[in-house]
Structure formats: C-alpha cells, structure tokens
Amino acid sequence: MKPQVSIEQVLSAEPPYFVIHKDEQGQLETLDNHFASYQQALDFVLEQGWQVKREQANSSLHVETRFLKP
C-alpha cells in the first residue's frame, strides 16, 4: 500500500512554508523538506507516487441528511 501523506502549512515561521507528514503502516514521520507553496509540496508527493490523505469530516451529518427521505 502506498504511504498516505498530509500537507500542512507552518505559519509560525517567517516566511511561512509547507511540510509533509507521511503515514506509512501506522508510523507518522515529518519530512525535512520545506516547500514555499502547497503546489510544490503536492508535486513532490505525486513524484514519489504517494497518496494525499483525505480530510476526515467532523460529523457525518452531511451524509445523514443526504439520504433522508423528504
């Protein structure tokens, strides 16, 4: 299975940058690479053949309301 990654913006630094968190078989690792833009980080992830994790919804209310009968 391909590693799952998430891209996070670090706002505390000047200038702000993006980092990649890689989750491979339950082990979370933050890569040392810093990227000036989200697009650069995403291009790096895609070149490696990794997958970007989907953000999990806080609530499944959207799904529940979608299937309610009128």
Side-chain angles (χ1 to χ4, degrees):
M1 186 170 147
K2 295 180 182 180
Q4 300 282 313
V5 300
S6 59
I7 301 172
E8 177 187 1
Q9 186 175 20
V10 178
L11 296 171
S12 60
E14 191 58 43
Y17 59 88
F18 292 85
V19 294
I20 297 174
H21 301 290
K22 181 173 78 166
D23 184 3
E24 190 167 16
Q25 298 176 351
Q27 294 186 357
L28 189 62
E29 172 188 357
T30 301
L31 302 183
D32 293 333
N33 304 32
H34 294 168
F35 301 93
S37 71
Y38 184 90
Q39 186 63 48
Q40 289 175 344
L42 182 60
D43 289 343
F44 178 81
V45 167
L46 296 176
E47 286 173 9
Q48 303 303 313
W50 300 337
Q51 295 178 341
V52 178
K53 274 194 231 180
R54 289 186 180 202
E55 297 296 324
Q56 293 182 349
N58 294 339
S59 168
S60 61
L61 182 60
H62 175 73
V63 174
E64 291 171 8
T65 56
R66 183 174 177 188
F67 294 104
L68 287 176
K69 297 195 184 241

